[in-house]
Amino acid sequence: MTSQNEIRDGDSRPLHHAKSEAPEVMYVPRYTGVQRVNHWITAILFTLLTLSGLAMFTPYLFSLTGLFGGGQATRAIHPWFGVALAVSFFFLFVRFWKLNIPNKDDVAWSMKIGDVVTNREDRLPELGKYNAGQKGVFWGQTALIGVMFVTGLMIWNTYFGGLTTIETQRWALLAHSLAAVIAIAIIVVHIYAGIWVRGTGRAMVRGTVTGGWAYRHHRKWFRQIAGSKERRGSVDKRGS
């Protein structure tokens, strides 16, 4: 009979007893509960914004307004979804911006993108908690959500219509739409990458990854976590 272990606070503790002779699996904390809730609230708001925005973007998708109670209701609630998303993403930004600062490892990783897509992990440099692609998603969404928030206010006629000219609003609407299309494309890639890299989804569902996943994809970060085991009490409980 074997048991699974989990590293938390620099200590290893048993999770539960397995019924069979299954190999021992070590789990590494990657995200706290608060971070996951923040992430999923942001994801849900982004989805609602996408659906309501696409409903107003083209007549072919106008039927999506039925999800929000009709055309007028969709037009009224879409900006509020945007405000809520900006607030939720702000907290994500505060939590993760330091970990997403680019470094020389990102340059080395990007130069081996061919090995990345062909899963030749042994040829890649050791990485911290995030790779260059993940950092690109983070900073890309930061810039695009910022653009959408500002331009969204400029075209929110209910409250700010009198503050800008019609011509300014037209340019703002164009920028708002382009930013939204790019942001949606980035999220599609983000979701695909999360499915493509087996074991990634567990991090945002259960908050942990296996030791094997951490060693294979973010070895430098894993070494930091493992090293903290030797310094009990020094592990960042926020999973950073």
Side-chain angles (χ1 to χ4, degrees), residues 55-100:
M56 295 185 291
F57 184 71
T58 170
Y60 296 106
L61 296 175
F62 184 77
S63 60
L64 291 174
T65 59
L67 298 172
F68 306 98
Q72 291 299 322
T74 301
R75 183 177 294 277
I77 200 171
H78 179 80
W80 289 109
F81 284 151
V83 172
L85 174 71
V87 173
S88 182
F89 188 82
F90 171 77
F91 288 111
L92 272 183
F93 180 84
V94 170
R95 294 179 188 282
F96 295 116
W97 73 271
K98 288 184 179 178
L99 293 167
N100 282 278

Side-chain angles (χ1 to χ4, degrees), residues 18-175:
K19 295 181 178 179
S20 65
E21 296 297 331
E24 185 174 283
V25 178
M26 178 180 64
Y27 293 102
V28 181
R30 188 158 172 86
Y31 296 110
T32 66
V34 173
Q35 290 171 337
R36 282 177 282 148
V37 168
N38 194 170
H39 169 269
W40 287 117
I41 289 176
T42 304
I44 291 170
L45 288 169
F46 190 92
T47 302
L48 293 173
L49 267 170
T50 299
L51 293 174
S52 58
L54 289 175
M56 295 185 291
F57 184 71
T58 170
Y60 296 106
L61 296 175
F62 184 77
S63 60
L64 291 174
T65 59
L67 298 172
F68 306 98
Q72 291 299 322
T74 301
R75 183 177 294 277
I77 200 171
H78 179 80
W80 289 109
F81 284 151
V83 172
L85 174 71
V87 173
S88 182
F89 188 82
F90 171 77
F91 288 111
L92 272 183
F93 180 84
V94 170
R95 294 179 188 282
F96 295 116
W97 73 271
K98 288 184 179 178
L99 293 167
N100 282 278
I101 295 175
N103 55 45
K104 61 181 181 181
D105 293 335
D106 300 319
V107 176
W109 184 88
S110 300
M111 294 179 67
K112 292 181 176 293
I113 193 66
D115 293 324
V116 174
V117 298
T118 53
N119 289 322
R120 288 179 289 193
E121 303 282 347
D122 56 308
R123 300 185 180 185
L124 300 177
E126 294 190 2
L127 298 174
K129 190 166 185 175
Y130 299 111
N131 61 40
Q134 292 166 319
K135 292 179 180 179
V137 170
F138 178 83
W139 291 111
Q141 293 300 78
T142 298
L144 292 166
I145 288 175
V147 170
M148 286 189 288
F149 180 70
V150 173
T151 55
L153 293 178
M154 295 170 69
I155 59 178
W156 198 354
N157 287 323
T158 303
Y159 298 103
F160 307 103
L163 302 179
T164 55
T165 64
I166 295 297
E167 184 177 2
T168 300
Q169 291 183 19
R170 287 172 177 168
W171 283 109
L173 180 59
L174 177 62

Side-chain angles (χ1 to χ4, degrees), residues 195-218:
I195 297 172
W196 178 50
V197 181
R198 186 178 179 182
T200 301
R202 178 189 174 90
M204 274 304 171
V205 175
R206 306 183 68 173
T208 60
V209 293
T210 65
W213 184 97
Y215 183 83
R216 182 178 184 182
H217 301 294
H218 299 277

